[in-house]
Amino acid sequence: MLYKINQFTLLLCLTAFLSLSCKKDDTTSNLDKVVIIKYEQSKIYDKVEMGIIDQLNTSGIKLDIINYNAKGSEESLISALNEAKKQQPLAVLTISEIATMTALNLLKTNNTIFFGIFNVDEINKIYRYNNKNNNIRGLYKVKNIKPYIKKMKNILNNVESVGYLYNINTVDSIEKSRHLRNAFIEEGLEYRSLPIITESDITNSYSNTFNKIDAIYLDSDKLTLTAIGYISPENIKYLPPIITTHNMTSYNNIALSININYYRAGRMLADMLIELKEKRNLNEVRNRKIEENFDIYINKTVLDNINIKLNTNNLNINTKIIYVKNSF
């Protein structure tokens, strides 16, 4: 008798479990799907995604979020976009310029919401695509270094000359160098081009140049970051302050970093998703531009070690002053 009761109890529990499982699956299947595609794993893209999730949770909006990370390769990106189409989502959300531009050729029948910082030609291509297919909206910024340079000049006192350290092997290195040269000169700053091919170039080719410039503007690719690491701890304190337009506070020798707030951008993207969910028509969702409301990261430890004074009158409410121990 006890065996029959236990058997009945087990059957009842199993039935209840299956019922709950089916209910959960059924609930998930009823949610609108959104596919998020990142070109690669990075702190910047992770902040965007975190902002999206937090804003959806804060708003009480439930979506079935499906993530694809293209791992920084074109083949993986194309594969992820093709998988996204099969999901028949409410929208495909592309994070990064590369993911967005590649999606233009593959998602012609899917709603696409994008995020990135694009050059003028890329923005024009997106608008031409939208005029033809009318199914893409985004949060974006047109590349323009001038506001960053102006802000940097105002914050760092006595900076009259800047050297641009960059990887000459990148596709747009020459064009970017020309653009930066014009931007620095317009701000009344002397410009020095510092191209490198290998990490050791920074010490072999430019050790004497560093004595003739007031700041180094650093690109964010791995080569230039590694090159800074080639400078010995006892010599790095004699470098001019290193500045960048990328949030790289984890690198101890970056003195000043200015960039948009990517977490805030993610929350704005979530608002676009919510608007699409409510209106069910992407045509009624407006494009949004990222405001030039910068987060400013100042490594005061670095600046103190190289005796650089700040013009604190030019610090805005988004300024974050960080303190790093054992910088050198």
Side-chain angles (χ1 to χ4, degrees):
M1 181 69 178
L2 181 61
Y3 172 76
K4 289 185 177 180
I5 292 174
N6 288 340
Q7 195 175 36
F8 175 76
T9 303
L10 180 63
L11 182 61
L12 187 64
C13 290
L14 182 61
T15 303
F17 173 77
L18 290 173
S19 176
L20 286 172
S21 299
C22 292
K23 185 177 181 181
K24 183 178 179 181
D25 290 340
D26 190 50
T27 302
T28 303
S29 66
N30 289 333
L31 294 177
D32 287 317
K33 292 181 181 179
V34 171
V35 179
I36 297 178
I37 295 183
K38 297 185 292 187
Y39 176 63
E40 60 186 350
Q41 196 72 37
S42 75
K43 290 182 179 179
I44 288 176
Y45 300 151
D46 289 346
K47 286 181 180 178
V48 174
E49 188 173 3
M50 187 185 303
I52 294 170
I53 301 302
D54 285 355
Q55 184 68 3
L56 291 175
N57 290 337
T58 300
S59 303
I61 301 297
K62 293 184 178 181
L63 294 169
D64 183 7
I65 303 294
I66 303 168
N67 293 284
Y68 289 105
N69 178 7
K71 301 176 183 177
S73 75
E74 185 179 6
E75 294 82 4
S76 180
L77 177 59
I78 291 172
S79 175
L81 287 166
N82 283 326
E83 286 297 318
K85 288 195 295 185
K86 297 176 183 178
Q87 300 291 340
Q88 297 182 328
L90 174 69
V92 177
L93 200 158
T94 55
I95 301 178
S96 82
E97 301 77 29
I98 296 176
T100 302
M101 301 312 295
T102 306
L104 295 185
N105 299 318
L106 296 177
L107 302 180
K108 294 181 180 179
T109 60
N110 297 88
N111 287 333
T112 304
I113 293 177
F114 66 90
F115 168 78
I117 302 174
F118 303 88
N119 62 40
V120 174
D121 289 340
E122 289 170 333
I123 286 295
N124 288 337
K125 185 175 180 179
I126 291 171
Y127 272 100
R128 287 195 300 271
Y129 172 93
N130 191 56
N131 288 337
K132 181 178 179 180
N133 299 288
N134 203 26
N135 65 337
I136 185 168
R137 296 292 185 274
L139 170 68
Y140 67 94
K141 185 178 185 300
V142 179
K143 289 180 180 177
N144 181 13
I145 196 67
K146 294 178 183 178
Y148 295 91
I149 301 304
K150 184 184 291 292
K151 181 62 71 175
M152 287 177 176
K153 181 184 176 184
N154 288 339
I155 292 173
L156 292 176
N157 283 328
N158 304 320
V159 172
E160 297 180 356
S161 58
V162 179
Y164 172 43
L165 183 69
Y166 64 99
N167 179 1
I168 198 171
N169 289 325
T170 56
V171 176
D172 62 345
S173 59
I174 303 300
E175 177 61 25
K176 188 172 182 179
S177 177
R178 184 187 65 79
H179 180 63
L180 277 169
R181 177 182 180 277
N182 293 337
F184 281 120
I185 290 175
E186 283 185 24
E187 285 299 319
L189 298 169
E190 180 186 349
Y191 172 79
R192 295 284 188 99
S193 178
L194 307 175
I196 61 174
I197 299 175
T198 65
E199 295 90 342
S200 59
D201 286 345
I202 190 170
T203 50
N204 294 340
S205 303
Y206 298 122
S207 55
N208 293 327
T209 305
F210 294 145
N211 297 324
K212 302 173 185 176
I213 56 178
D214 300 319
I216 298 173
Y217 175 75
L218 185 70
D219 221 341
S220 62
D221 62 86
K222 292 180 181 178
L223 177 64
T224 51
L225 294 177
T226 306
I228 292 296
Y230 263 68
I231 301 174
S232 62
E234 61 270 18
N235 289 328
I236 201 165
K237 66 177 64 178
Y238 299 112
L239 277 180
I242 300 170
I243 57 179
T244 178
T245 52
H246 300 269
N247 291 345
M248 296 192 295
T249 57
S250 60
Y251 293 93
N252 289 347
N253 299 311
I254 304 298
L256 176 67
S257 173
I258 301 179
N259 210 342
I260 61 174
N261 187 306
Y262 288 97
Y263 176 77
R264 191 183 305 133
R267 295 183 76 99
M268 293 173 69
L269 283 167
D271 287 339
M272 296 180 71
L273 287 172
I274 293 170
E275 193 175 348
L276 174 60
K277 177 177 172 60
E278 292 173 348
K279 297 182 177 178
R280 316 304 297 185
N281 186 349
L282 192 61
N283 296 336
E284 297 184 26
V285 178
R286 61 182 178 83
N287 288 308
R288 291 165 169 81
K289 288 188 177 181
I290 304 170
E291 296 179 3
E292 290 176 343
N293 186 10
F294 306 122
D295 284 332
I296 303 172
Y297 297 84
I298 297 168
N299 190 328
K300 195 171 184 299
T301 307
V302 172
L303 294 176
D304 287 346
N305 277 326
I306 54 182
N307 296 316
I308 295 293
K309 302 299 181 183
L310 295 175
N311 183 354
T312 54
N313 293 328
N314 288 283
L315 303 184
N316 65 19
I317 60 173
N318 289 317
T319 297
K320 295 177 175 61
I321 299 180
I322 63 169
Y323 298 88
V324 181
K325 296 180 180 179
N326 303 319
S327 297
F328 301 107

